Amino acid sequence: MPMNLQVNDEPKANFVAMSTPARPAIAIATCAKAWSPRRLTLAAAQTVLLRTLLTSTMVLLWWATSAAAQDVNVQVATEEPPHYVGVSVIVQLTVDGLDADPQPQCVAESSSPDVRVRLAGISPRIVQRMFQSGTQIRRIQQVTHTIQFRVTANQPGDYEIGPFVITQGNTEKRVDAITMSFAEVPTTDDMRIQLELPESAYPDQRVPVTIQWWFAGDTDNVNQLRIDGTMLDEFRFAPDRTPERGGSRLPIETEEGTIALAATAERKTVDGKEFTVVSAQRTLIPNRPGTYEIAPITATIQWVTQWDQRRRSPFGDFGIGGSLLEEAFGGRRRPAKVELFRAEGEPLTFEVKPFPSQGRPESFSGAVGNGFSLDVTADRTVVRVGDPIRLTLHLRGDGNIEGATLPPLSADGGLDPGHFRLPEGDVTGVLQDDQDGKQFVVSVRVLDESINEIPSIAYSWFDAEKERYQTTRSKPIALRVMPAQVVGADAVVSSQSAPSSNETVANDPTAQSARSSGPRSFSLSGADLAIERDPQRLLTGSTSLLARPSLQVAGYALGSLCLIVALVDRKRRQVDPAIRQASAVVRAQRGRIAAAERLPEKQAAKQIAEALRVAHLEIPETDRSAIQPIIAECEAIAYKPGEDADARISPDLLGRALAAIDSLKPSHSTA
């Protein structure tokens, strides 16, 4: 639907810029001084007067421009009516007079419960101008923020949208509510929409959700499909499968924007009518128990009743970044006349049950699924009492592995706290890169030399299909525990080899003489080997060169720099080559749009339209509602009659084209 904007000018807010009145006073004083007949000739007075007037004009211009730049002016625009139920409409606020940073905040304070108002995005456009005042060069910066909302009505009627409140720091601007009318969209027996999900589930369970779009007409005449999936936005979803390039996709509108789901297409015959059925699946993860009323899912299409035969447009696709069936949605023509049709599914009730308290094992920590197993290994099996043993626990299973936690090791007959010193607090696990479960590492100590094994450790989960708890156990690990060895002071430090007995020393004058004349032996018998706790002694500096603070700081800084470089390089290597290629194409096309500012108007319009097409084809799953109106406006300029070689492209159109291409962000779905 073309976005012909109706602009309503709103009076500027009474925010007057602060300025310094001393500059005009100085200029007037200079002018008066210049007219002193005692000091200047007529020619010199004319020169001084001319310079003074020029300086005063530039100062007043700077003063007026600075004050105007601080006023907040808002223009409100909407897509050209009529507006229809189930079809989102863009409401755009163009704000002048705010600062570039921080980004302003904008909210729609109130609206009818039958209308959903969602912030679509905020994008700034900054234009800088410079002028010279005497020997000084001044710069004026004009900032324009474009704020877009998506408004969708569930029922026909007239609705008040807003008021809107724009805030930035201590500045607040209120915009009056606008009235929008939404008309009912007719239904057709040739289209159906279905949402399938189980009637009940448990917290953190993986719940399959199926969305099916049925169409019995000529799919080649479907210009645009919109499926409203916002009724499920209160739930969390697992990462969606990335669609294959050129494969079927189904567009679902969410609060975060439109997503393209990988889909399959097939033919089905029901009641003698043949339908094309496009199906996509998501994995829903309920967060908390409760009963949820799911509103009906809706689908709206643009049905083309007449095609424009003059030319074909690569942007007249299915409106979802890719065709459903390659044979049915190849090159597309530009529609001349379209009609809207709507289909509505059935309301659903979804219950999230709490875990049953009866029969809940002590080793249950919230895992849901089936087929869990726990393998435990020890880094050593021959230890002394009190030595640490590092245990590696590897959890596998079909369920919520990424959110799984480790239950107490003593649960359900595991490690006895009287015989083992166990870790305290939660233990964080690490997901394996090969999707081979989750790994936990803990350290335990044996407190009793009578222990001969590490007992089996229990792990329990809830089987949602059988609605009961299941428990698995690891295999025990044999241990050999020896008594702890007590080391005395004499064994820590020893002197030179002493005689075998005191009698030998006493009876041997030579040995006694050698001992008295040689270096004295140093004995630590009875020495205090307790841990030193005096901060003054512990903080005493070393005389070593490496102990200098400057060298230590330099070493830490060098190590931190190496770590940062390694992390940046790793992140760069992990980027998909297809994403890098798409980003490079978008950057190149943005440069073409920026360069169009220096071209004649018609040539610049053609270049901008072509650049937007190329960028959108590289990232097809993005929303084209912000790009298509700009392309249409550029084409209208490029093919209008007449030729003006001095005409240049509108700065506003150029700014909107740059903002539109900046909104194209490659994602994994482009790979």
Side-chain angles (χ1 to χ4, degrees), residues 370-431:
N370 55 73
F372 282 86
S373 64
L374 182 64
D375 296 328
V376 180
T377 58
D379 64 338
R380 52 180 173 170
T381 57
V382 179
V383 296
R384 294 184 181 273
V385 173
D387 288 349
I389 304 174
R390 189 176 66 177
L391 300 181
T392 302
L393 299 89
H394 201 150
L395 179 65
R396 299 179 178 89
D398 183 12
N400 57 336
I401 288 290
E402 62 274 12
T405 59
L406 197 64
L409 300 182
S410 60
D412 295 334
L415 277 62
D416 186 355
H419 296 158
F420 293 89
R421 183 180 298 169
L422 305 178
E424 299 179 355
D426 296 333
V427 179
T428 303
V430 178
L431 283 174

Side-chain angles (χ1 to χ4, degrees), residues 513-587:
S513 175
R515 183 175 182 180
S516 61
S517 61
R520 292 186 176 182
S521 62
F522 183 72
S523 175
L524 287 179
S525 298
D528 183 9
L529 298 182
I531 297 176
E532 180 59 56
R533 299 180 181 272
D534 184 5
Q536 296 298 329
R537 298 187 63 182
L538 293 175
L539 295 177
T540 300
S542 173
T543 59
S544 172
L545 178 64
L546 296 178
R548 294 182 178 179
S550 58
L551 292 180
Q552 293 180 358
V553 171
Y556 282 119
L558 181 60
S560 301
L561 179 61
C562 293
L563 181 60
I564 293 173
V565 171
L567 292 175
V568 172
D569 182 67
R570 178 182 179 184
K571 184 176 181 180
R572 182 185 62 82
R573 293 174 180 272
Q574 290 178 344
V575 177
D576 194 324
I579 298 179
R580 288 201 298 267
Q581 180 181 358
S583 300
V585 172
V586 172
R587 287 195 301 270

Side-chain angles (χ1 to χ4, degrees), residues 313-459:
S313 170
F315 279 90
D317 62 4
F318 199 67
I320 57 176
S323 60
L324 295 178
L325 299 174
E326 184 178 358
E327 60 183 5
F329 304 101
R332 304 290 294 177
R333 297 163 290 175
R334 184 185 301 276
K337 293 182 179 180
V338 297
E339 293 182 3
L340 289 178
F341 291 99
R342 186 169 184 258
E344 186 175 284
E346 298 292 333
L348 302 175
T349 300
F350 181 57
E351 182 184 6
V352 181
K353 302 178 181 179
F355 293 117
S357 57
Q358 184 177 3
R360 179 184 300 183
E362 185 184 1
S363 57
F364 174 71
S365 58
V368 182
N370 55 73
F372 282 86
S373 64
L374 182 64
D375 296 328
V376 180
T377 58
D379 64 338
R380 52 180 173 170
T381 57
V382 179
V383 296
R384 294 184 181 273
V385 173
D387 288 349
I389 304 174
R390 189 176 66 177
L391 300 181
T392 302
L393 299 89
H394 201 150
L395 179 65
R396 299 179 178 89
D398 183 12
N400 57 336
I401 288 290
E402 62 274 12
T405 59
L406 197 64
L409 300 182
S410 60
D412 295 334
L415 277 62
D416 186 355
H419 296 158
F420 293 89
R421 183 180 298 169
L422 305 178
E424 299 179 355
D426 296 333
V427 179
T428 303
V430 178
L431 283 174
Q432 302 302 292
D433 295 337
D434 55 359
Q435 304 298 322
D436 186 25
K438 197 171 188 178
Q439 184 172 289
F440 303 86
V441 178
V442 299
S443 180
V444 300
R445 295 176 185 267
V446 183
L447 304 179
D448 190 347
E449 61 181 285
S450 64
I451 299 299
N452 57 12
E453 70 173 7
I454 297 177
S456 60
I457 299 175
Y459 190 88

